[in-house]
Amino acid sequence: MGLLSENTTLQVLSALLLSFWLFYLYFVKYYGYWERKRIVHVPAVFPFGSLVKPVMGKTYWGLALNGVYNEYYDQPYVGLTYIRKPMILIRDPELIRLILVRDFKHFMNHLAIDTHPKDYMMWHLFSMKGQKWRDLRLKLTPAYAAAKVKTMFFLIKRSSDILLKVIDELVEVNSAVDVKNVLSRYTIDVIANCAFGLETDSLLNKESKFYEVGVESFNVKFGLLLKMFVYSAFPIFSKIYFCDFQDEKIKNFVTGVIRSTIEYREKHNISRLDFLDQLIKLRQTQRILKEGENSKDVLKNSRYGEKEGLTIEEITAETYLFFTAGYETTANTIMFCLYELACNSRIQDKVSWEVEEVLHRYDGDINYEALLEMTYMDQVISETLRRYPVFSQLSRECTHEYKFPNSRLEIDKDVGIVIPVYSLHHDPKYFPDPYTFDPDRFSPENCRNRHPYVYLPFGEGPRMCIGMRFGIMKIKMALATLIGNYQISLTPDTDVPLQFKSNSFTTLPSKPLMLVFTRRHTQAL
């Protein structure tokens, strides 16, 4: 009996050792990829790859990649391994131009996590690949055109008026304001209004469900990091549906809101000048209508003979992307901009003077045309996005075997591409004294004299951020409203310089950012 027990134990241990060995071999299969190609690279560490700390959520990705960027300063590219996938970090702006524009067909896809089709919340414009991405981008582009964005201006203006009212009330109690909280609620209200057609009043309602969903969507918990690790390490899970990548509560809430809103609008033939209205038109006609067109006429003349527009699930995914991308990115940029203006009173005064001067020509009213005339504010926003890019890197995936011109570098299909945006933005070769906030870097003359592919806050090429115009308009509206009425300054406890949060998808300060708001004697509004 004892001998049998010992044999069983030995067999179990042998099976475990064999399983671990096979598991190990599976993981390290591509760890020698760059060595075999004789490319300078950062060695991989089992099972996380070349960059252990950011994969574990313990270091801001921008700083981790910046360490590699600076260590190999004389190299045009550096090999990496993300968990078990070969990737290459591109330092040369000319190679970046090839990837993003000239040879785009080889690098069309984002390096996004593949999920099962039933996980429809992840099947949106950002994560779609190949021809599916092309088709959807073509359909959605008119919804983000300048004319369409302009029609949403009055919705943004309404939220900015409430933002000013809320700041007024907060300052009466305490001049130090948690700007991330307030600005997140402002952008939530704008997005909910422009995307869902709903007035959520997150600025006034501290228990707003939309605000909770927005915060939760960017809350990087251990479970989310584990899902990212598993999906990246074992692509087979994209073929087997066992759970949603996104939190089920968020999925059910967003889907319920979209479904009920669409059904109500279609039943009562309601049309609004918002993003969801454009998607509903796509649902009905497969393309966004031009002015004066009727959906029935378009369907009648369609060569398809029947509706082939977006489904409820596709609309939900696109609206959720519009919601999350527009909420966090805009709030962060406004926050960092106010922080830098608080640190640099001379620049803040110059912005204030411009706001006052422009609005004087429009009888004190902030309108779409007035914002377009605030060109120095554009420079301030550009410099903010240089210092604090929303996403610290761009990523692409090689779709065909590719050899870089005038180089011995040749990469295979599915190899990942990393473009270190944060590092390029802080390279003294392109931006002298890079940690100094200087909006004059973005004067027309300085922009002409700089390589166009070293400043990439919105990406570049066919996959450039489709919502850039809308985002900039929200930012300028908030800045004009706040700087026109308040002087912004630091609290004694504000970090200078700011430290970055480690476990975040976007660039964020490590702790809540408090700024002091003081009413101006001469108000622009």
Side-chain angles (χ1 to χ4, degrees):
M1 187 70 178
L3 182 62
L4 180 61
S5 178
E6 289 179 5
N7 287 339
T8 302
T9 302
L10 185 60
Q11 289 174 354
V12 171
L13 288 175
S14 298
L16 290 174
L17 287 172
L18 178 61
S19 299
F20 177 79
W21 180 244
L22 292 175
F23 181 77
Y24 176 80
L25 291 178
Y26 171 79
F27 258 85
V28 303
K29 180 179 179 180
Y30 300 106
Y31 280 13
Y33 182 84
W34 298 117
E35 183 74 33
R36 290 192 293 272
K37 287 185 173 289
R38 298 182 180 179
I39 298 297
V40 173
H41 62 282
V42 180
V45 176
F46 172 82
F48 300 105
S50 301
L51 301 170
V52 177
K53 287 186 176 181
V55 172
M56 296 179 68
K58 293 186 176 182
T59 299
Y60 169 57
W61 269 101
L63 295 180
L65 292 173
N66 198 45
V68 177
Y69 184 94
N70 291 329
E71 183 178 351
Y72 299 91
Y73 197 79
D74 58 342
Q75 299 292 328
Y77 40 75
V78 182
L80 299 172
T81 305
Y82 174 71
I83 301 178
R84 62 186 298 271
K85 185 183 185 73
M87 303 180 71
I88 190 158
L89 182 145
I90 306 295
R91 299 184 73 263
D92 183 349
E94 279 303 317
L95 296 182
I96 294 173
R97 186 202 300 267
L98 291 177
I99 291 166
L100 297 182
V101 180
R102 204 193 81 175
D103 293 331
F104 173 75
K105 65 180 181 180
H106 292 275
F107 306 98
M108 183 189 304
N109 300 334
H110 278 145
L111 189 60
I113 293 175
D114 292 327
T115 58
H116 193 275
K118 287 186 178 180
D119 189 5
Y120 59 83
M121 289 282 282
M122 297 296 292
W123 282 71
H124 45 59
L125 191 63
F126 182 86
S127 59
M128 279 190 174
K129 300 182 177 183
Q131 192 59 42
K132 289 184 177 180
W133 167 80
R134 282 186 184 276
D135 293 342
L136 187 58
R137 175 87 181 204
L138 186 63
K139 289 179 180 179
L140 291 178
T141 296
Y144 290 93
K148 296 292 184 183
V149 170
K150 187 177 180 180
T151 62
M152 300 182 196
F153 181 82
F154 76 97
L155 298 174
I156 301 176
K157 179 69 165 62
R158 184 188 303 165
S159 294
S160 73
D161 291 340
I162 298 174
L163 170 64
L164 181 60
K165 178 183 176 182
V166 168
I167 292 291
D168 287 342
E169 293 174 353
L170 291 173
V171 168
E172 287 182 5
V173 179
N174 188 346
S175 61
V177 175
D178 182 348
V179 288
K180 179 63 165 71
N181 180 283
V182 175
L183 293 172
S184 293
R185 292 178 181 277
Y186 159 72
T187 55
I188 286 286
D189 282 351
V190 172
I191 294 295
N193 220 325
C194 295
F196 299 86
L198 300 175
E199 296 182 14
T200 58
D201 292 329
S202 297
L203 278 164
L204 302 174
N205 177 17
K206 302 308 178 185
E207 306 300 322
S208 167
K209 183 64 177 178
F210 269 87
Y211 178 74
E212 293 177 9
V213 168
V215 171
E216 190 63 27
S217 296
F218 282 89
N219 191 4
V220 182
K221 298 179 181 178
F222 173 77
L224 184 58
L225 290 173
L226 181 61
K227 285 181 183 179
M228 292 177 64
F229 182 87
V230 170
Y231 274 100
S232 299
F234 305 101
I236 186 65
F237 284 112
S238 66
K239 311 295 183 184
I240 305 171
Y241 180 67
F242 72 100
C243 73
D244 290 325
F245 188 80
Q246 188 55 264
D247 186 278
E248 187 176 0
K249 292 180 181 178
I250 295 176
K251 177 180 179 179
N252 292 339
F253 174 77
V254 176
T255 303
V257 169
I258 293 298
R259 185 178 296 277
S260 61
T261 303
I262 290 176
E263 289 176 352
Y264 181 81
R265 290 192 188 186
E266 291 184 335
K267 180 179 179 180
H268 297 280
N269 196 28
I270 294 174
S271 179
R272 279 178 51 117
L273 298 175
D274 57 22
F275 182 68
L276 183 58
D277 190 58
Q278 308 304 317
L279 296 183
I280 292 174
K281 289 179 172 62
L282 278 176
R283 168 176 162 83
Q284 297 169 342
T285 65
Q286 205 178 23
R287 67 177 173 84
I288 292 175
L289 300 178
K290 298 178 182 178
E291 187 174 351
E293 282 187 320
N294 182 281
S295 60
K296 293 182 180 179
D297 294 335
V298 173
L299 285 173
K300 182 179 178 181
N301 298 326
S302 173
R303 62 186 175 87
Y304 297 98
E306 59 180 15
K307 290 193 297 182
E308 295 182 13
L310 298 180
T311 64
I312 290 282
E313 289 74 21
E314 288 171 329
I315 292 177
T316 300
E318 290 311 318
T319 310
Y320 180 67
L321 176 65
F322 184 90
F323 174 69
T324 52
Y327 142 67
E328 178 80 352
T329 57
T330 305
N332 292 356
T333 301
I334 302 169
M335 172 187 64
F336 284 124
C337 191
L338 292 178
Y339 168 78
E340 286 294 348
L341 292 178
C343 292
N344 300 274
S345 58
R346 180 186 61 82
I347 297 173
Q348 182 178 170
D349 289 342
K350 192 171 180 179
V351 175
S352 175
W353 294 334
E354 181 182 61
V355 171
E356 186 174 356
E357 180 186 358
V358 171
L359 294 188
H360 180 72
R361 296 197 292 268
Y362 290 91
D363 298 324
D365 178 48
I366 301 180
N367 55 47
Y368 186 80
E369 289 71 23
L371 291 183
L372 293 179
E373 292 183 23
M374 297 178 188
T375 54
Y376 185 70
M377 183 185 290
D378 287 326
Q379 293 179 211
V380 170
I381 294 170
S382 294
E383 176 67 349
T384 301
L385 289 168
R386 182 195 68 81
R387 281 287 284 118
Y388 310 97
V390 175
F391 298 105
S392 62
Q393 75 272 3
L394 302 176
S395 62
R396 296 291 186 269
E397 190 172 55
C398 185
T399 57
H400 305 89
E401 188 176 287
Y402 181 81
K403 186 180 187 307
F404 286 85
N406 305 316
S407 169
R408 63 187 179 89
L409 176 60
E410 186 173 349
I411 59 176
D412 300 311
K413 181 179 180 294
D414 296 331
V415 168
I417 306 291
V418 178
I419 298 172
V421 174
Y422 180 88
S423 301
L424 290 166
H425 287 190
H426 292 81
D427 189 332
K429 179 180 178 181
Y430 311 121
F431 300 97
D433 196 10
Y435 294 94
T436 296
F437 189 81
D438 182 10
D440 289 337
R441 299 181 200 272
F442 293 92
S443 66
E445 181 182 0
N446 286 333
C447 289
R448 283 193 298 269
N449 295 332
R450 186 168 51 240
H451 196 292
Y453 288 85
V454 297
Y455 178 68
L456 300 166
F458 298 102
E460 193 54 76
R463 287 205 85 141
M464 187 176 184
C465 175
I466 195 172
M468 180 181 69
R469 290 190 188 94
F470 183 69
I472 292 296
M473 186 167 66
K474 286 185 293 177
I475 294 168
K476 294 186 76 171
M477 173 60 82
L479 290 177
T481 300
L482 296 177
I483 298 301
N485 287 275
Y486 281 96
Q487 179 78 30
I488 316 297
S489 56
L490 303 175
T491 71
D493 299 324
T494 305
D495 288 340
V496 180
L498 290 175
Q499 302 300 310
F500 295 126
K501 188 176 182 179
S502 57
N503 61 332
S504 174
F505 294 131
T506 59
T507 304
L508 278 176
S510 59
K511 64 181 184 181
L513 179 59
M514 307 294 292
L515 295 176
V516 175
F517 285 70
T518 306
R519 266 287 183 180
R520 294 183 182 276
H521 296 299
T522 302
Q523 297 176 23
L525 305 183

